[in-house]
Amino acid sequence: MAKNKKKIKVAFPHMGTISIAWASALRKIGVEPLVPPYTSKRTLSLGTKNSPEAICLPYKLILGNFIEAIENGADYVAMITSPGICRLGEYGNNIKQTLEDLGYKANYIELSLYDGFKGLYRFLVQLTGRNNPIQIIRTLNIVIRKIFALDELDQALSYYRAREVKQDEAEKNYKKALNLIKNADKTSDLKKALKKGLALIESTKIDPNRDVLYVDITGEIYVVNDQFSNQNLEQELGRMGVQTRKSLTVSSFLKDAIIPKAFRKGETHLERANRLAKPYLTRDIGGDALECVSDVAYANKRHIDGIIHVSPFTCMPEIMSQNIFPAMREDGSVPILTLIMDEQTGRAGYITRLEAFVDLMRRKKRKEKAKLDLDAEPKEEEKTEETAKK
Ligand code: SF4
C-alpha cells in the first residue's frame, strides 16, 4: 500500500466517539482517515436494506457506515473482527461480500483485536507497508492514551449532566472538550487537552443538593457505547437526574485485550467478570455475556440504585445473560431494566420505559430512607426515660 504515492483513505465504522482515536492513529502513521458521517437514520436504512433481516443491529449500522464511507471516497474500509463464539466472527466475510455484490469499489481490511498488541502492530504494518517499530509504538501509545482520555471525559460528563442547572450545558461543554482531544496528536498536547477538557465540563453550573440516582449500564459493548444505537440512553437518564457508569468501555477492553499485563494496574473488567459471574455463568458464551452477568453481580454488591442492560435484538449471548437475571434478582435487590434495541425501537415507548424505571428506583430509595429514619428514631419508652432524666 505504501508504494502508492497518493495517500490512501481508510475508514473504520463508528461506535460512539471512537473515530477520534482511530483517525488520530491513521494520521500519525501517514494514512488519511476518512471519517464517515456519524451514524444516522440514513446509515441505518442503508444497512438494513442490505442486511439479512435477523442479523444484529451493530452489523446493519457498520455496513451502513461502510457504504457512506465509500460514497465519500474511502479506498479501504477496516473492520474489527474476532474469532469469538457469536456472530461477530461472521461479520467480516458477509460485509465484504455484500459490498462487492452492491458494486462498491473499496478494499476491505481486517483488524483482529483479539490477537492483542501483536495484532494491532501487524495491522498498522499491513496498512502502511512499512515496519517502523518506533513510529508504530508512538502511534499505539497516542491512540491508547486518547481512548482513556475519552472515557475520562465521558465519566465526568455523566456526573455533571445529572446535576446541571441548565439542561444540556454539560453536554455542550463535553463537545468542546472532545474537540480539544481530537486535535491533540502528541502526548504532551493530549495531557493539556484532557486537563482543559475536564475543566470545561467542570465549569457546568450544578445543583450539589440534587437527589441523584446511580445506575450502571451494561450489555453488548457496541450498543452500550454508541449513542445512536442506544438512542442517547445516558443523555436521557442524565436529564432525569441519573448518574450513569459503564464498565464495558473501550478502555476497559484495551486493558483486557491489548495492553500487556506488565503495564496495567489493578483487576481488569474481564478478571472481575471471571470472579463475579462464577455462581451464575461458568464460561465465556460469546459477546459480552460473562461481563454483563458479572456487572449485575457487581451492582448488587455496591447496592446502587439500578442497572440497565441494553442489547441488540437477536444478540445470542445477551439473550442468554437476560435469562440468568431472574436468578440474580433473587440474590440481590438492585432493580434491572433490560432494553432491546433494533431499527423498530420507537422513541416514545422507550422514554416511557426509562421514566417508569427511574420512578421505580426513586420510590424504592425513598422507602428505604424512610425505613432507616424510622429505625434511627428513639422508641416511645426510650423517649419517656430521657424526659424523666431531665
Ligand atoms: S455480541 Fe451480539 S450483537 Fe454483538 S456481534 Fe455478537 S451476536 Fe451480534
Side-chain angles (χ1 to χ4, degrees), residues 56 58 86-88 91 220 287 312 315-317:
C56 32
C86 80
R87 279 176 286 187
L88 182 58
Y91 269 25
E220 193 267 346
C315 170
M316 295 170 296

Side-chain angles (χ1 to χ4, degrees), residues 147-267:
I147 288 170
F148 276 85
L150 290 170
D151 282 343
E152 208 173 322
L153 291 184
D154 199 51
Q155 201 48 52
L157 167 66
S158 176
Y159 177 90
Y160 284 89
R161 188 167 44 199
R163 294 167 177 82
E164 66 193 1
V165 175
K166 198 168 148 216
Q167 191 175 306
D168 293 340
E169 192 189 347
E171 193 79 30
K172 280 183 197 142
N173 290 333
Y174 168 75
K175 284 193 178 139
K176 287 184 205 158
L178 283 185
N179 267 330
L180 296 174
I181 301 289
K182 199 188 273 180
N183 298 323
D185 276 347
K186 279 196 226 142
T187 313
S188 54
D189 293 346
L190 183 60
K191 275 187 189 158
K192 283 183 211 151
L194 178 60
K195 208 170 157 200
K196 229 168 148 183
L198 286 172
L200 264 170
I201 298 173
E202 286 159 13
S203 70
T204 308
K205 202 164 170 247
I206 57 167
D207 171 2
N209 300 318
R210 183 166 298 164
D211 186 13
V212 166
L213 293 171
Y214 297 88
V215 168
D216 280 2
I217 310 283
T218 191
E220 193 267 346
I221 191 164
Y222 182 96
V223 288
V224 165
N225 288 286
D226 184 72
Q227 60 273 28
F228 178 84
S229 59
N230 66 32
Q231 299 206 13
N232 292 311
L233 174 61
E234 289 184 86
Q235 190 178 12
E236 295 300 342
L237 289 168
R239 286 175 180 165
M240 298 175 199
V242 177
Q243 182 178 335
T244 51
R245 187 190 155 283
K246 300 176 293 225
S247 294
L248 262 169
T249 57
V250 184
S251 54
S252 78
F253 173 81
L254 287 183
K255 275 195 197 164
D256 277 311
I258 305 290
I259 300 173
K261 215 171 177 173
F263 293 99
R264 52 185 203 226
K265 284 186 223 145
E267 187 182 41

